[in-house]
Amino acid sequence: MPRVVVDVMLKPEILDPQGSAIAGALPRLGFSGVTSVRQGKRFELELDGELTAERLAAVDEAARTLLSNPVIEDYVVHTDAEATA
Amino acid sequence: MPRVVVDVMLKPEILDPQGSAIAGALPRLGFSGVTSVRQGKRFELELDGELTAERLAAVDEAARTLLSNPVIEDYVVHTDAEATA
């Protein structure tokens, strides 16, 4: 069954308080050397049938309109080749 | 600056109400053919200096103890080769 992954991250110019909180906590907890953390979302979609170009375009449209907020977020759609087997 | 990505997803046997809600909403909104959706988290960590094996091991430890809940979540650490340039 084909699997498509949609990664949604805040745009670089948008403040990410969750990520900043993690970046601030890491040194206190003994992990140094991390300069920046950004937190986003990852969606794994399983499709039935073949993964055609039209299906991918539909997933892209869903990612743009439903899974992300285009005002503050960027998204990337990619097929999870290893997981498709 | 090397970038490391940590993907945290609920274990397959754990119910994912957010993902189920999205999977239920997609057909109502005109996107058919999606059988299952799982929602997880994606962390992008920027490290200073070189990406050594020890640094990666430290990130793995941070992912296991801080970024994920090992009782209900699985994580994957990978270097974001395209984004490292």
Side-chain angles (χ1 to χ4, degrees), chain B residues 17-69:
Chain B
Q18 283 185 301
S20 302
I22 296 166
L26 283 169
R28 290 202 306 275
L29 293 159
F31 301 99
S32 59
V34 176
T35 54
S36 141
V37 179
R38 309 278 292 173
Q39 180 175 354
K41 285 173 281 188
R42 174 186 167 94
F43 300 92
E44 293 181 356
L45 283 71
E46 286 197 354
L47 310 181
D48 56 359
E50 288 289 296
L51 186 62
T52 60
E54 300 94 79
R55 303 294 291 284
L56 258 186
V59 170
D60 196 273
E61 172 79 3
R64 191 172 58 75
T65 54
L66 301 172
L67 302 179
S68 73
N69 176 351

